[in-house]
């Protein structure tokens, strides 16, 4: 199933999604260009991870259309969806390595599941992928012997094991020390450019994203509130975009959680205890 | 404020919803079974985890149960000068009831809880979700081999429980208390029927194997993906499967050994 | 040996131990090797009262287990209990005037059918009925008769 040569590898058109009574996405339209690193940013809890799960077909939109490689994800049969997923990689925040398998077996897992390659060839491929993330020497370790950054790199090697067309990163910069952070940033950019991937990065780390992304969407309250190249967004005149991009404590997003008037609240307390 | 009637109704609904989900889940697992069989290695690894690793507790427990049974029954039988009936009494208790039931309860505690915790943790750490994104169905790859291994392992453990328990009874009765060895074995062979007693006991343990493993994998798969959720699921798994074993045991016993 | 190989050996061991235990249950603990099902031949006998006789109760001749009770029915024509027995194939020489009695093994033991061969030249074959029978001794009746001095038979 070769996709049409459109500029956009994945598209979300006017997508809404609610979880229980909570409206998580409300009419979101996003497009992801081939060969580029596109970032989705926004405060915690604005449905960024939900977007990735929609693209991966794990959940379906209540309204709107999710297209990947020219196909409507919600309309695919299970077998077709699995076929499509073999061409997508996803990097979970925790790494999601299989705790019972060694680093080597983790990276070999998708190859063993989806190909009938002889073990010798699988070995070559696994070592190649591990070399790309710099962990060829760690192949005998078990996941519980890895640091958080190493686990994420192994997961990255596993995500590219089947040479996917796109790769999705869920909060790849969270909880890393500065050195590992630099390594991961470099890897995302390098893999994107050398393997000809299309990358989608979900994150709330402004500095890292502006350093590596080609295009950025800003999400808040389930809506797209800003989009553009990182430089454009940094210089944006919109109050909300400025507040988020520069990390200002107060602005359109108030510092205080909605509450009754401070003075009245205090007086209320005094009256109640009286 | 919710009235207790409303709460009862809600609990009943939730119970049936859970039962329904459990059955649908079982159907999905059964549909995934054929894809396990060619991958024999996966099955062997799971039989190791649920079967071989349960051996120590099964052997120790059955030896103790057999020895206690030998001692207690001897004390009762000797009053009627019927200590030669020790063999059949010990063997029948073990083969019909204690073997299948106690082995299943220990299995629920040892292997069932481990299965629930393992699958629950895999869910909590996004391993199942990650597997799905790698286009691998976790129900087939993770759940189906575990269920099959449990169904296969428990009957073997129950048979072993009965055999070792009878050995324990023999040790106490013949070795320590001086029951005649010939009478012990010959009376046993005379009274214990292969099909009526032994085969029915094995059928019982096979049923228990299905139920205990089913509950274990289902609770793990349905667990709230947090540390607390997994621990609750593990507790529920052991409690529910133990209750299910005891309840089913009564039904199966009435069905198998009741008057024809 | 690598880890998978070790696991495979241990699982093999586990299965072997389980199967060995099954053999113990089959041949040492239960009676798989004696009177099997399906083989052998069927004899019938009618009793006034079968007492505590049950399906699967033993049939003995000279104290030796030769068969088992297959079914017990109540015949509404003759008001008698009809007992069907399956006799092991190689015990095929019971004379036609063999007596079938229901005895109790010991005071509290189980009840069984005892066959006492007669003197005829012809032997019972599959589907034949044993004509001479003696019913179970019911303890209450024996005690009752004893007390009221009615032991006239």
């Amino acid at each position: 199933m070769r996709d049409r040569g459109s500029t956009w590898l994945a598209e979300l058109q006017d997508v809404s999604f609610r979880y229980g009574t909570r409206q998580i996405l409300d009419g979101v339209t996003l497009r992801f260009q081939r060969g580029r690193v596109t970032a989705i940013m926004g405060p915690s809890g604005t449905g960024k991870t939900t977007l990735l799960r929609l693209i991966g077909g794990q959940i379906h939109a209540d309204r709107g259309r999710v297209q990947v490689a020219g196909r409507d994800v919600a309309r695919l049969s299970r077998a077709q969806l699995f076929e499509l997923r073999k061409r997508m990689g996803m990097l979970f925040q925790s790494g999601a390595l299989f705790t019972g398998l060694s680093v080597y077996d983790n990276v070999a897992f998708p190859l063993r599941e989806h190909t009938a390659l002889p073990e010798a060839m699988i070995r070559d491929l696994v070592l190649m992928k591990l070399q790309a993330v710099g962990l060829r020497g760690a192949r005998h370790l078990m996941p519980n012997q890895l640091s958080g950054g190493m686990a994420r790199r192994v997961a990255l090697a596993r995500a590219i094991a089947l040479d996917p067309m796109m790769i999705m990163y869920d909060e790849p910069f969270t909880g890393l020390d500065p050195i590992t952070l630099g390594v991961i940033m470099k890897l995302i950019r390098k893999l994107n450019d050398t393997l000809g991937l299309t990358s989608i990065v979900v994150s709330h780390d402004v500095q890292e994203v502006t350093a590596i992304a080609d295009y950025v969407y800003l999400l808040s309250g389930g809506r797209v509130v800003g989009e553009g190249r990182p430089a454009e967004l940094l210089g944006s005149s919109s109050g909300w975009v400025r507040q988020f991009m520069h990390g200002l404590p107060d602005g359109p997003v108030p510092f205080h959680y909605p509450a009754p008037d401070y003075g009245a609240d205090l007086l209320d307390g005094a009256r109640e205890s009286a | 404020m919710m009235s207790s009637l409303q709460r009862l109704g809600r609990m009943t609904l939730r119970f049936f919803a859970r039962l329904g989900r459990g059955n649908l889940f079982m159907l999905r697992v059964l549909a995934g079974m054929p894809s396990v069989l060619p991958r024999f290695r996966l099955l062997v690894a799971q039989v190791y985890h649920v079967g071989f690793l349960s051996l120590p507790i099964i052997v120790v427990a059955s030896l103790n149960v057999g020895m206690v049974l030998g001692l207690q029954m001897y004390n009762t039988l000797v009053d009627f000068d019927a200590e030669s009936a020790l063999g059949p009494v010990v063997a029948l208790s073990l083969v019909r009831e204690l073997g299948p039931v106690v082995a299943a309860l220990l299995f629920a505690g040892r292997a069932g809880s481990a299965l629930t915790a393992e699958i629950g943790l895999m869910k909590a750490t996004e391993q199942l979700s990650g597997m799905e994104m790698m286009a691998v169905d976790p129900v087939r790859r993770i759940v189906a081999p575990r269920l099959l291994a449990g169904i296969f392992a428990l009957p073997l453990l129950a048979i072993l429980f009965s055999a070792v328990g009878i050995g324990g009874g023999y040790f106490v009765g013949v070795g320590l208390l001086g029951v005649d060895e010939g009478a012990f074995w010959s009376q046993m062979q005379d009274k214990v029927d292969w099909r009526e007693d032994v085969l029915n006991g094995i059928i019982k343990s096979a049923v228990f194997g299905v139920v205990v493993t089913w509950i274990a994998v289902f609770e793990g798969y349905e667990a709230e993906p947090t540390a607390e959720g997994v621990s609750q699921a593990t507790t529920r798994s052991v409690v529910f499967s133990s209750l299910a074993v005891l309840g089913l045991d009564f039904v199966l016993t009435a069905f198998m050994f009741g008057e024809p | 040996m690598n880890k998978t190989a070790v696991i495979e050996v241990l699982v093999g061991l586990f299965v072997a131990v389980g199967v060995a235990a099954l053999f113990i249950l089959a041949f040492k603990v239960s009676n798989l090797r004696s009177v099997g099902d399906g083989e052998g031949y069927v004899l019938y006998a009618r009793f006034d009262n079968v007492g505590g006789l049950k399906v699967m109760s033993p049939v003995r001749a000279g104290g030796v287990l030769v068969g088992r009770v297959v079914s017990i029915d109540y015949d509404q024509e003759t008001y008698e209990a009809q007992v069907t027995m399956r006799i092991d194939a190689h015990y095929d020489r019971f004379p036609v005037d063999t007596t079938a009695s229901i005895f109790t093994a010991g005071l509290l033991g189980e009840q069984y059918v005892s066959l006492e061969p007669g003197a005829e030249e012809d032997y019972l074959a599959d589907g034949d009925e044993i004509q001479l029978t003696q019913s179970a001794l019911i303890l209450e009746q024996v005690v009752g008769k004893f007390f009221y001095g009615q032991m006239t038979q």
Side-chain angles (χ1 to χ4, degrees), chain B residues 66-84:
Chain B
M67 280 163 47
V68 168
L69 211 53
L71 194 62
Q72 295 285 15
M73 289 302 163
Y74 177 84
N75 285 338
T76 310
L77 289 171
V78 81
D79 289 344
F80 301 99
D81 271 340
E83 64 267 26
S84 61

Side-chain angles (χ1 to χ4, degrees), chain A residues 197-224:
Chain A
L197 292 168
T198 304
S199 306
I200 303 176
V201 179
V202 154
S203 176
H204 53 234
D205 298 295
V206 177
Q207 280 197 325
E208 289 75 17
V209 167
T210 47
I212 63 161
D214 297 310
Y215 200 82
V216 178
Y217 287 99
L218 280 184
L219 241 62
S220 178
R223 291 168 179 278
V224 177

